[in-house]
Amino acid sequence: MSIFEYNGSAVVAMVGKNCFAIASDRRLGVQLQTVATDFQRVFKIHGKLYLGLSGLATDAQTLYQRLVFKHKLYQLREERDMKPETFASLVSALLYEKRFGPYFCQPIIAGLGEDNEPFICTMDCIGAKELAKDFVVSGTASESLYGACESMYKPNMEPEELFETISQALLSSVDRDCLSGWGGYVLVVTPTEVQERVLKGRMD
Amino acid sequence: MSRRYDSRTTIFSPEGRLYQVEYAMEAIGNAGSALGILASDGVVLVGEKKVTSKLLQASRSAEKMYKVDSHLACAVAGIMSDANILINTARLHAQRYALSYQEPIPVEQLVQSLCDTKQGYTQFGGLRPFGVSFLFAGWDRTHGFQLYMSDPSGNYGGWKAAAVGANSQAAQSMLKQDYRDGMTREEAVALALKVLSKTMDSTSLTAEKLELAEVFLQPGTGEVQYQLCSPDAMGKLLAKAGLTQPAPEA
């Protein structure tokens, strides 16, 4: 049993036309036992920047809290919000600091840049950044997610279509993974609004 | 004067005074003043900008008002470089508390920790004290809106209205006369501007010379808000208070 599979998780982010969507499953398990069905894996850093954390739940929560610490100080000193690219570098640096005793998380960063250009990236648990123009996936359901996204994704989707695509990709992938699922949580962010939606999927 | 006992901060004079601390307070007495007033629905901080040269690059950030955390702000009087160090310390302390307890730091605890730092410089290390006085304004769940004043000795107190910097004695006595419990933020702002206009050295009050900040609860969400007044809004407030005319030539 791998430590990354202890709690079970699925997180995915996709780029659309002047918008992005980030989604996760809602299961928190302790190996085979499901313990919660409303677990939060996607966190807000600021109005246009979101962080999804898959992997060990405790590390996901601690990592998020430490990043809020750093971002709040950044906001106070620079008097502005952090750009997504900068935030990704910060996360990468934070993870590499623990190179020989890492956080067991795989983060997904999704945000709108200065000119509202969507930005997504993921990295491994020691901070190796991977930028993508279309979609990024992580978690125990990542292999299924890769397949689903590859076939369902197309560029320049409007927010409504992006929501449909990411939801279908998420639900169909977590259905092939026993450790993730129990519903979905989708966030679609455009320059003007943020739409949060909870998906009803197979509750198993 | 007992000049022999001036040079070291960490010893008392025969009269039981700490001269370096008092000299620090002298330095603050020459700096731009700052006023704080506690209202029923918020806290108001007003500061006087001492240097307003046309050559100064118009900076987006404030000179006298600083946000320490989402629910805490402070006004500064004294040596700006000393203030920057302390504000940074305060910000870090607030975030470390939030990281450990996942709750915003209570206002008094933050003030106390900063004052503990300041006190250290009056007792050991052989370093001079910080030449800054602060007015902290904030909100927390246990005590609501609060205003604290702290000085280089590390002493602090909770106040309903307080003044630091140049002419603070005069401002303080004026506040004592005119402050009433249960003032609203609007009334507090008007009072602050009135007191400042009488105690400031310059002949007239203009929006460029002042900074105004308010800490209050957002009406819809109930979240604590720190708002720095824009120069236009400042101008309107001054006009409303009837303070824009320059003082008559002597």
Side-chain angles (χ1 to χ4, degrees):
Chain A
M1 195 254 349
S2 154
I3 187 72
F4 289 97
E5 288 159 20
Y6 188 75
N7 294 127
S9 52
V11 186
V12 57
M14 277 189 188
V15 166
K17 188 157 180 217
N18 298 324
C19 63
F20 69 86
I22 182 167
S24 75
D25 72 324
R26 304 187 83 206
R27 177 182 180 270
L28 175 72
V30 172
Q31 294 190 287
L32 58 119
Q33 160 103 62
T34 300
V35 165
T37 58
D38 59 357
F39 191 67
Q40 190 189 8
R41 280 203 179 82
V42 173
F43 303 99
K44 178 171 138 175
I45 301 293
H46 63 71
K48 289 184 182 165
L49 180 58
Y50 287 81
L51 172 72
L53 288 162
S54 65
L56 196 63
T58 176
D59 282 357
Q61 288 179 333
T62 305
L63 192 59
Y64 165 65
Q65 288 166 6
R66 289 196 60 196
L67 285 163
V68 162
F69 179 107
K70 298 216 165 189
H71 182 253
K72 272 194 145 182
L73 284 171
Y74 184 96
Q75 269 180 329
L76 284 169
R77 289 178 185 141
E78 305 228 359
E79 296 184 9
R80 63 182 179 90
D81 291 331
M82 230 190 239
K83 285 197 294 232
E85 298 85 353
T86 315
F87 185 72
S89 298
L90 177 66
V91 180
S92 173
L94 202 61
L95 291 173
Y96 197 82
E97 269 173 30
K98 303 272 183 215
R99 170 68 177 78
F100 299 108
Y103 287 108
F104 297 113
C105 292
Q106 197 185 350
I108 281 185
I109 290 139
L112 290 174
E114 305 236 276
D115 41 357
N116 288 326
E117 220 12 71
F119 171 89
I120 51 170
C121 90
T122 185
M123 52 193 81
D124 66 6
C125 65
I126 41 178
K129 263 191 280 187
E130 184 204 316
L131 305 172
K133 292 201 174 69
D134 41 18
F135 58 85
V136 287
V137 303
S138 79
T140 49
S142 57
E143 281 159 358
S144 304
L145 277 166
Y146 271 125
C149 290
E150 198 68 63
S151 49
M152 294 185 201
Y153 180 82
K154 51 185 212 286
N156 286 324
M157 282 186 276
E158 294 289 336
E160 301 78 29
E161 200 190 348
L162 187 66
F163 164 72
E164 284 301 325
T165 310
I166 201 175
S167 307
Q168 292 296 350
L170 179 71
L171 288 177
S172 54
S173 308
V174 303
D175 285 348
R176 291 298 282 178
D177 175 26
C178 53
L179 295 172
S180 51
W182 282 89
Y185 173 81
V186 183
L187 211 75
V188 180
V189 181
T190 63
T192 44
E193 62 160 353
V194 171
Q195 267 193 326
E196 284 179 46
R197 270 172 276 218
V198 171
L199 303 174
K200 183 157 178 263
R202 281 184 65 105
M203 301 307 218
D204 63 1
Chain B
M1 282 275 266
S2 318
R3 285 284 159 190
R4 253 181 270 164
Y5 305 97
D6 285 10
S7 45
R8 291 174 54 183
T9 58
T10 52
I11 55 175
F12 282 108
S13 76
E15 299 96 47
R17 294 157 73 172
L18 290 169
Y19 279 115
Q20 284 300 312
V21 173
E22 292 183 19
Y23 295 160
M25 302 211 217
E26 268 298 308
I28 295 164
N30 297 326
S33 37
L35 249 124
I37 303 185
L38 186 64
S40 57
D41 57 341
V43 192
V44 170
L45 291 171
V46 188
E48 171 205 356
K49 286 199 262 208
K50 252 310 168 104
V51 186
T52 47
S53 159
K54 267 193 285 200
L55 288 176
L56 255 186
Q57 181 83 292
S59 133
R60 235 186 350 157
S61 44
E63 182 190 302
K64 296 206 67 94
M65 309 285 165
Y66 294 91
K67 192 169 161 185
V68 172
D69 198 354
S70 341
H71 63 296
L72 250 175
C74 67
V76 163
I79 304 177
M80 288 318 303
S81 45
D82 287 5
N84 283 331
I85 304 285
L86 284 171
I87 288 166
N88 202 37
T89 312
R91 285 172 171 170
L92 277 167
H93 190 84
Q95 287 314 306
R96 275 190 213 116
Y97 183 99
L99 183 62
S100 300
Y101 300 101
Q102 289 298 301
E103 262 183 26
I105 187 169
V107 188
E108 187 170 352
Q109 280 198 40
L110 187 282
V111 177
Q112 197 159 44
S113 89
L114 211 68
C115 287
D116 288 346
T117 307
K118 289 207 238 183
Q119 187 275 345
Y121 287 75
T122 69
Q123 199 174 24
F124 47 81
L127 303 168
R128 69 162 174 83
F130 289 97
V132 211
S133 276
F134 285 103
L135 284 172
F136 283 101
W139 182 91
D140 58 40
R141 239 166 29 135
T142 23
H143 299 295
F145 289 108
Q146 298 149 74
L147 174 69
Y148 292 95
M149 178 167 79
S150 81
D151 62 27
S153 64
N155 271 326
Y156 72 91
W159 292 83
K160 294 180 186 173
V164 289
N167 301 324
S168 55
Q169 294 273 47
Q172 194 85 29
S173 49
M174 230 179 275
L175 283 170
K176 194 161 151 193
Q177 280 185 320
D178 296 333
Y179 179 82
R180 288 171 342 270
D181 280 314
M183 282 180 111
T184 63
R185 260 188 298 138
E186 260 193 72
E187 294 169 341
V189 168
L191 173 61
L193 291 175
K194 186 178 92 171
V195 171
L196 258 187
S197 70
K198 298 225 173 90
T199 59
M200 259 167 78
D201 286 334
S202 39
T203 47
S204 67
L205 272 190
T206 56
E208 298 92 52
K209 293 212 186 100
L210 292 178
E211 264 174 28
L212 168 70
E214 295 176 67
V215 178
F216 57 95
L217 292 181
Q218 183 83 303
T221 57
E223 270 177 45
V224 194
Q225 278 274 61
Y226 161 76
Q227 204 172 63
L228 198 58
C229 201
S230 70
D232 297 325
M234 188 81 236
K236 289 200 192 96
L237 277 170
L238 283 172
K240 201 166 109 174
L243 293 166
T244 41
Q245 300 91 338
E249 299 296 293

